[in-house]
């Protein structure tokens, strides 16, 4: 297919060359070498003056160097702009003089041959209108290019930050394993630090829930069955969780589980609307002022209970989880240690989340 396209382009160019040569010979009454004579610009100046007399008053009929050829092409461009030819259709004067824009030059002369009877000096208002339009197009193109460059830079910086976070997660995990093995070697026990983050999922509906427990569930934004949120573990929140323990499942999620939650069930709360987290633009638009621009930045703030954890948690709409695949083992009314589903199950919450995704 590419070979066929190339052959077609070559045939088109040969056809245009024949037509341009024939037209110039008819207008100037002399043979013309293409593309050598077109590069010099003198032939094009003579052709334009034939179509529109005295449009180009002075030009170098026999340019000896690139500078003289460039001057000719600058005059050609200025003259054609007066005839309401869009600046984007004109070749760069320097490239045309050096022979680096042969196709562009050939196409321009081909268009002039088609406009032989209609090429006239346009009113100043028309020229200004075309110039303004070209300026708007150029400005829009530059803005689009800037946005593209900025997006590329943001993607690169986001990838660098993600790699840095992954290194820190890996380092913390290795440190815990090392401390555990060190303690085991000496016959001691390694007690990990108290977790700071919990994942809380509501297990029961509205029936039979006392007013106090119902109010606490509302404060945690757990208004429906199988709603779930992240909670920072402090003394007040721990006391509140003890009160609603029979109605919720509590646990400490891993980084992998948090990522899966945000990717599969993540929704943002923007102007009271539930917006899916389909791209980093959604996060950057709402949390960009806090330097949280990607999903990895959001995960880092949640995992480490960062400085802007409260804002990130408020930004996230409460997760709407499915019923767990395979159902609950015995009864969700019982505590987890009794074979039920309610209460604190610590790190085993990851299994429940995977079944509810």
């Amino acid at each position: 297919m590419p070979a066929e396209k190339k052959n077609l382009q070559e045939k088109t160019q040969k056809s245009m060359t024949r037509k341009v040569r024939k037209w110039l010979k008819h207008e100037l009454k002399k043979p013309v070498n293409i593309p050598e004579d077109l590069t010099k610009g003198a032939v094009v100046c003579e052709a334009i003056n034939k179509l529109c007399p005295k449009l180009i008053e002075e030009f170098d009929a026999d340019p000896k160097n690139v500078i003289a050829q460039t001057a000719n092409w600058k005059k050609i461009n200025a003259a054609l702009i007066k005839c309401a030819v869009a600046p984007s259709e004109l070749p760069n004067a320097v490239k045309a003089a050096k022979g680096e824009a042969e196709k562009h030059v050939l196409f321009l002369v081909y268009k002039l041959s088609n406009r032989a009877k209609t090429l006239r000096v346009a009113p100043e208002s028309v020229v200004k209108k075309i110039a303004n339009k070209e300026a708007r197009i150029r400005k829009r193109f530059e803005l689009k290019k800037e946005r593209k460059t900025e997006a590329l830079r943001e993607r690169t910086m986001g990838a660098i930050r993600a790699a840095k976070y992954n290194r820190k997660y890996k380092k913390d995990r290795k440190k815990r394993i090392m401390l555990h093995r060190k303690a085991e070697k000496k016959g001691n026990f390694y007690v990990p630090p108290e977790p700071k983050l919990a994942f809380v999922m509501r297990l029961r509906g509205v029936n039979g829930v006392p007013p106090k427990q119902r109010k606490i569930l509302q404060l945690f934004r757990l208004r429906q069955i199988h709603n779930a949120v992240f909670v920072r573990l402090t003394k007040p929140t721990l006391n509140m969780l003890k009160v609603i323990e029979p109605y919720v499942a509590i646990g400490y999620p891993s980084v992998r589980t948090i990522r899966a939650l945000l990717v599969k069930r993540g929704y943002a709360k923007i102007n009271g609307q539930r917006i899916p987290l389909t791209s980093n633009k959604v996060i950057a638009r709402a949390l960009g002022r806090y330097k949280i621009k990607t999903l990895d930045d959001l995960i880092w703030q949640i995992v480490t209970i960062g400085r802007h954890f409260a804002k990130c948690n408020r930004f996230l709409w409460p997760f709407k989880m499915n019923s767990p695949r395979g159902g609950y083992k015995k009864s969700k009314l019982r505590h987890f240690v009794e074979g039920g589903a309610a209460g604190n199950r610590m790190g085993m919450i990851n299994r429940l989340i995977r079944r509810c995704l």
Side-chain angles (χ1 to χ4, degrees):
M1 194 70 180
E4 292 177 8
K5 191 176 180 181
K6 191 176 180 181
N7 291 336
L8 184 62
Q9 287 177 351
E10 288 176 358
K11 286 180 182 178
T12 307
Q13 191 170 349
K14 285 179 182 177
S15 174
M16 286 170 59
T17 305
R18 281 195 301 270
K19 187 170 181 180
V20 167
R21 188 183 286 113
K22 186 178 177 181
W23 176 71
L24 288 173
K25 188 178 179 181
H26 177 266
E27 290 291 333
L28 305 178
K29 309 298 181 185
K30 63 179 181 180
V32 176
N33 293 325
I34 295 176
E36 292 80 6
D37 289 344
L38 295 183
T39 302
K40 293 179 180 179
V43 171
V44 183
C45 291
E46 289 176 21
I48 291 171
N49 281 339
K50 283 280 183 181
L51 300 175
C52 194
K54 297 183 180 179
L55 187 59
I56 304 174
E57 293 180 357
E58 294 180 1
F59 63 90
D60 195 338
D62 187 22
K64 301 295 183 183
N65 51 37
V66 176
I67 296 171
Q69 293 173 11
T70 304
N72 279 350
W73 273 105
K74 285 182 178 178
K75 289 174 183 178
I76 291 166
N77 289 349
L80 291 176
I81 285 171
K82 290 180 183 177
C83 297
V85 177
S88 59
E89 296 178 9
L90 302 174
N92 181 278
V94 178
K95 287 184 177 181
K98 288 181 178 179
E100 296 174 2
E102 289 179 1
K103 289 182 180 178
H104 200 161
V105 169
L106 181 65
F107 185 68
L108 175 67
V109 180
Y110 177 76
K111 287 189 77 175
L112 289 176
S113 68
N114 292 334
R115 286 186 59 182
K117 295 181 180 178
T118 59
L119 191 69
R120 297 289 181 273
V121 176
E124 192 177 347
S125 59
V126 175
V127 175
K128 281 185 177 179
K129 187 177 179 181
I130 291 171
N132 291 337
K133 186 181 177 181
E134 287 287 320
R136 286 197 300 272
I137 291 170
R138 199 181 305 112
K139 189 177 179 181
R140 193 159 60 242
F141 176 76
E142 287 173 0
L143 187 63
K144 189 178 178 181
K145 192 176 178 181
E146 284 176 12
R147 285 176 181 171
K148 196 174 180 180
T149 307
E150 182 66 22
L152 180 63
R153 193 182 70 81
E154 287 295 336
R155 279 201 303 273
T156 306
M157 295 303 295
I160 292 168
R161 288 198 301 273
K164 184 181 78 173
Y165 298 148
N166 287 332
R167 284 196 299 271
K168 287 185 178 179
Y169 297 144
K170 197 173 180 180
K171 188 178 177 182
D172 290 345
R173 184 170 172 274
K174 282 185 177 179
K175 188 179 178 182
R176 286 197 303 271
I177 292 169
M178 185 191 71
L179 290 171
H180 179 75
R181 286 176 180 172
K182 206 172 182 180
E184 195 176 37
K185 193 175 181 180
K186 292 184 179 180
N188 295 329
F189 293 97
Y190 169 65
V191 180
E194 288 290 324
K196 299 178 182 178
L197 177 74
F199 181 80
V200 183
M201 185 172 79
R202 182 167 178 166
L203 299 179
R204 292 169 64 176
V206 293
N207 293 339
V209 181
K212 184 178 180 181
Q213 283 80 347
R214 188 185 302 144
K215 183 63 179 176
I216 294 171
L217 288 169
Q218 286 178 4
L219 291 174
F220 280 129
R221 301 187 295 162
L222 301 172
R223 295 176 178 274
Q224 297 174 331
I225 189 170
H226 293 147
N227 274 12
V229 291
F230 294 116
V231 175
R232 188 207 302 252
L233 294 178
T234 58
K235 190 173 181 181
T237 55
L238 283 169
N239 291 334
M240 291 165 76
L241 288 173
K242 283 179 185 175
V243 176
I244 61 169
E245 199 171 19
Y247 307 95
V248 294
I250 308 166
Y252 314 132
S254 64
V255 177
R256 184 182 172 186
T257 303
I258 292 170
R259 182 181 293 277
L261 273 166
L262 292 175
V263 169
K264 293 185 179 180
R265 296 275 166 183
Y267 282 82
K269 186 179 181 182
I270 299 174
N271 298 329
Q273 294 181 321
R274 187 169 179 254
I275 310 295
L277 294 177
T278 51
S279 96
N280 287 329
K281 289 180 182 178
V282 179
I283 299 169
R285 201 177 296 125
L287 301 173
R289 71 187 92 167
Y290 309 116
K291 297 183 180 179
I292 301 167
K293 298 181 180 180
T294 63
L295 185 67
D296 293 290
D297 296 335
L298 185 62
I299 292 168
W300 174 257
Q301 287 290 327
I302 292 168
V303 170
T304 59
I305 309 294
R307 183 180 172 186
H308 304 294
F309 171 80
K311 296 178 181 68
C312 293
N313 204 21
R314 273 288 167 190
F315 165 74
L316 292 172
W317 196 281
F319 298 101
K320 293 188 176 184
M321 310 296 284
N322 282 335
S323 299
R325 286 189 300 275
Y328 297 103
K329 288 183 179 178
K330 290 186 179 179
S331 170
K332 62 182 181 181
L333 304 181
R334 292 185 182 182
H335 198 279
F336 180 70
V337 295
E338 298 172 353
N344 191 348
R345 57 179 69 200
M346 304 183 77
M348 296 182 75
I349 192 74
N350 295 306
R351 295 182 186 176
L352 179 64
I353 292 170
R354 281 197 292 272
R355 286 166 57 210
C356 293
L357 284 176

